[in-house]
Amino acid sequence: MHSTGLNTNQMMRQVIYALVLGVSASYVFFGWGVVIQILLGTIAALVVEATFVAMRGRQVLASISDGSAALTGILLAISIPAIAPWWVVVVGVAFAIIFGKQLYGGLGNNPFNPAMLGYAFLLISYPLQMTTWPVDFLSFSQVIDEVFNLVNFDGISGATRLDDVKTSLSLGSDIATLQVRSISQAWINIGFLVGGIYLLARKIIFWHIPVAVLSGILMMALLISIFDSQQHLPVQNHLILGGTMLGAFFIATDPVSASTTPKGRLIYGFLMGVLIVIIRAYGGYPDGIAFAVLLMNMMVPLIDQYTQPKVFGRS
Amino acid sequence: MLDQTFSGGVVIANPYPVEQVKIIQAPLPNQVVLPLQQRIGAEAKPCVEVGDRVLTGQVIAKTQDQFCVPIHASISGTVMAIDKQIIPHKSGLKSTCIRIESDGQDEWVETKGCGSDFLHCDRQTLIDYVQRSGIVGLGGAGFPSHTKLNKATGCHTLIINGTECEPGVMCDDALMQHHPREVIRGVEILLHITGAKRAIIAIEDDKQEAYQSLLMFNHNDLISLAQLPTKYTSGAEKLLIKALLDIEIPSGGFAADKGILCQNVSSTKAIFDAVIDQRPLVSRIVTITGDALTPVNVEARLGTSFEHIISLTDVNQQAHDYRMGGMMMGIDIENTQMPICKITNCIFVNNRKPKQLAKECIRCNTCNTVCPIGLLPQQLYWHAKGENIEKCMDYHLFDCIECACCSYVCPSHIDLAGYFSFAKALHKKQATDQHKTDIARDRFEFREYRLERNKQERAQMMAEKKQALKDKMAKDKEQGQVQKDKIAQAMARVNKIKEKDA
């Protein structure tokens, strides 16, 4: 009754399809860079996966056809700025696949979300490239020039929106004036939200994690806004800025690295939401998704241990 | 219609439905092969010899312990051999069987039951009839009915299991449609034996015709009919009790502990035959289904070969895969020469297809949601694969009923239930090995202890002997001295006397 009737490969493909809306919204606001990064990420993921699977003496075709490597590449490519130099996504994806997945024994054995591991690695290593976003729609040729470092434009890029808002707030700007420019982020988040609802409807993901993540974010944001409203974003902005919806529906729900029990998934998601807001509000990085996911990944064995469901006939 | 149910399970419609659930009588086979090994208990002991003529229904092997039922000849003819044959079992091992060649007469042994008025018979006599007629659970478990009945003291509720939840199997459905009177009478006999206050016949809601026909023949106020939603694993005894009565039988406990007795509907009909006519169980209805033929129900004599029954259908000419039992919990079989036995409720004949290769588990959680027991199959799989039995026990491996719901929904096509069956076997092996090691170690340690003790005892004995010798010598010496002294004194006296005399 819960079966999707899909096999693992088809499930992965469905997740990729569900990303289309959010990615389209991203394209509308940031231009061709989005597409280029996804292409780079996917190709890099498939090449690295194939190489490592071959080195491990496993079946290459079966491994890359399951779609998991491509998905990792796409998720990472979506998360990084659309005008990041080409080597950023390639290095990030290679790190994600090698250190996040293959070294643990491939699909299903990795304790951490590979895409977020790659993202965290990039953010720590290349903070400048990782926080510079285009401010406007960029044409194909502009993107090619920018991504492959052929020509440097001035005035097409700015800081990541969340970072930008945080800086402005700390400098005493009014929240009301800052909200106008967040419209692009809102649309992108709505795109991913719709994609996430599609996944829920197809029963490819379960409701526990997204609902828990979003309530964790809401709860913590509410607490912060009550006690410390001047310096911080209002509650609703936490839901529409940054990678909130992408994180809640596509990244936190990565089954391999998430908690596996129904109760555990609620705890896992909720704490992740809380951590996301704490990192956003008080941390040194613009967005908290990647670090919150990795921290919660570490807690999965502990959570699973204490949230086993009741077994029939046992009290 | 019942609303309440148990959590988990999967909804699978009959993959090969038929318009009319008919029963075809199979023609007498040329020979039957009857295994002496029952599902549980010791092997039965043959009481006929090669060359003997036997009649249908004659006891040809006797029980060795209380769990067993006797084995009856299912056709009349001559005993041709008592030897090892392949039987339909997961292990694929051979077992001793009696082979009877038919004389085509089907001459029955004379039997006499207690007739239609069973009420004058007491409980034990009736249970005796049940045992002597060789009745076991015909749903697939094969547990002897008389053992259950003997245990059912203080039983308040009788549940007749007509759910037949395994998709594809239709033999109980056919039986209920075509023998409703016998089923109802069988329930009445069971009520009389157990003294239960009520009986519930449980039927899934996709078997409307069976439900209607039973309803028509049921004029007993103590017997009620319940319809359950069509969901797989609702036929599992404990889950059925949960759905019908909302009682959860504790892990490791039995239905009898809570005053409940479950009997399969086909067994109930067999009990009717046994008590009224004392007609032993020599045939059963088998569903033959699958995508290679038009599904039929065949009533066949026990011991008939699969091949003989399959030949009655319009099976196509392709290469086939065979499976005995349901599509979920059944076993794949290679050899169609095997005999059908009391637990053969269904034979699947499918066109051979390439097997789905298992992929890696991505911990998608689907299996968790369908497990009717509330286990975590993916965690169990992880530990079973790593052969970490201790961890498997932490995740309640032995609560698994191997219903294979998890395997059915797994998007990576992993045979999860197969891994759990393997882990259980491994646990048993480890336990036996451990037991053997313990015995060997105990024996070794005792030997060491014994040798050491002997050594000490010997040393002590030697020391004691030495001491005794020493003491004796000392004593002797002392005594010698005393003697010497006495002699000396005597001499002195003599000398004194001599001196005086001089």
Side-chain angles (χ1 to χ4, degrees), chain B residues 34 58 74-75 79 144 157 162 165 169 183 185-186 247 249 259 264 290 297 308 312 372 376 387 423 433 439:
Chain B
L34 299 159
Q58 184 184 331
S74 56
I75 50 172
V79 176
T157 304
C165 62
V169 187
V183 172
R185 293 289 282 164
I247 293 173
I249 308 295
N264 174 268
N297 290 291
H308 179 76
L312 301 173
L376 296 171
E387 300 187 11
D433 287 355
I439 291 176

Side-chain angles (χ1 to χ4, degrees), chain B residues 197-463:
Chain B
K197 307 266 185 309
R198 58 169 172 169
I200 305 169
I201 306 177
I203 308 170
E204 282 190 313
D205 60 3
D206 64 342
K207 298 180 204 359
Q208 280 306 322
E209 268 158 43
Y211 177 78
Q212 293 303 339
S213 59
L214 282 177
L215 203 62
M216 218 150 69
F217 279 89
N218 180 21
H219 304 297
N220 194 324
D221 290 341
L222 298 180
I223 305 172
S224 59
L225 269 65
Q227 287 198 72
L228 294 152
T230 307
K231 180 162 90 163
Y232 170 60
T233 67
S234 60
E237 187 173 295
K238 288 183 177 184
L239 299 171
L240 184 61
I241 292 170
K242 170 82 179 160
L244 287 175
L245 308 172
D246 201 21
I247 293 173
E248 203 166 305
I249 308 295
S251 171
F254 297 98
D257 305 342
K258 298 267 182 188
I260 300 163
L261 175 74
C262 278
Q263 279 291 344
N264 174 268
V265 69
S266 294
S267 303
T268 309
K269 194 249 172 193
I271 287 170
F272 168 85
D273 290 340
V275 170
I276 305 296
D277 309 327
Q278 215 203 324
R279 199 180 90 103
L281 184 63
V282 294
S283 66
R284 74 154 296 146
I285 305 170
V286 183
T287 303
I288 307 161
T289 186
D291 59 15
L293 45 80
T294 316
V296 286
N297 290 291
V298 177
E299 179 159 11
R301 295 294 165 91
L302 300 173
T304 311
S305 75
F306 282 24
E307 199 176 28
H308 179 76
I309 303 180
I310 293 168
S311 70
L312 301 173
T313 66
D314 59 353
V315 63
N316 64 27
Q317 296 299 309
Q318 297 175 19
H320 301 128
D321 283 325
Y322 301 96
R323 191 172 175 84
M324 183 187 112
M327 62 182 255
M328 301 294 282
M329 291 183 80
I331 51 170
D332 290 324
I333 52 169
E334 305 288 332
N335 188 337
T336 51
Q337 293 303 317
M338 287 187 207
I340 66 157
C341 52
K342 289 172 184 172
I343 58 165
T344 312
N345 53 0
C346 184
I347 302 169
F348 273 89
V349 185
N350 287 321
N351 294 324
R352 194 158 284 174
K353 282 187 284 280
K355 277 220 169 96
Q356 286 273 18
L357 283 178
K359 294 204 149 238
E360 294 286 342
C361 167
I362 54 162
R363 313 212 298 166
C364 68
N365 235 16
T366 319
C367 51
N368 292 356
T369 62
V370 297
C371 180
I373 307 297
L375 300 171
L376 296 171
Q378 65 192 11
Q379 304 282 68
L380 262 175
Y381 161 70
W382 184 265
H383 297 305
K385 200 177 162 194
E387 300 187 11
N388 187 346
I389 301 303
E390 215 169 292
K391 267 300 206 187
C392 286
M393 302 304 276
D394 284 352
Y395 284 96
H396 310 298
L397 172 68
F398 279 87
D399 283 279
C400 170
I401 57 171
E402 292 178 45
C403 65
C405 283
C406 47
S407 312
Y408 179 75
V409 296
C410 179
S412 293
H413 305 296
I414 300 168
D415 179 16
L416 292 158
Y419 274 95
F420 306 150
S421 163
F422 159 77
K424 284 180 185 172
L426 192 64
H427 171 80
K428 281 194 186 117
K429 186 176 174 295
Q430 282 181 357
T432 349
D433 287 355
Q434 188 59 44
H435 186 63
K436 276 185 191 159
T437 320
D438 287 347
I439 291 176
R441 196 188 45 240
D442 285 352
R443 200 185 283 148
F444 173 76
E445 280 172 357
F446 183 72
R447 179 173 178 271
E448 292 284 286
Y449 162 76
R450 181 167 50 83
L451 291 179
E452 184 61 25
R453 190 189 61 193
N454 287 353
K455 211 163 127 189
Q456 277 177 1
E457 277 176 0
R458 201 157 41 231
Q460 202 182 346
M461 212 164 69
M462 294 293 281

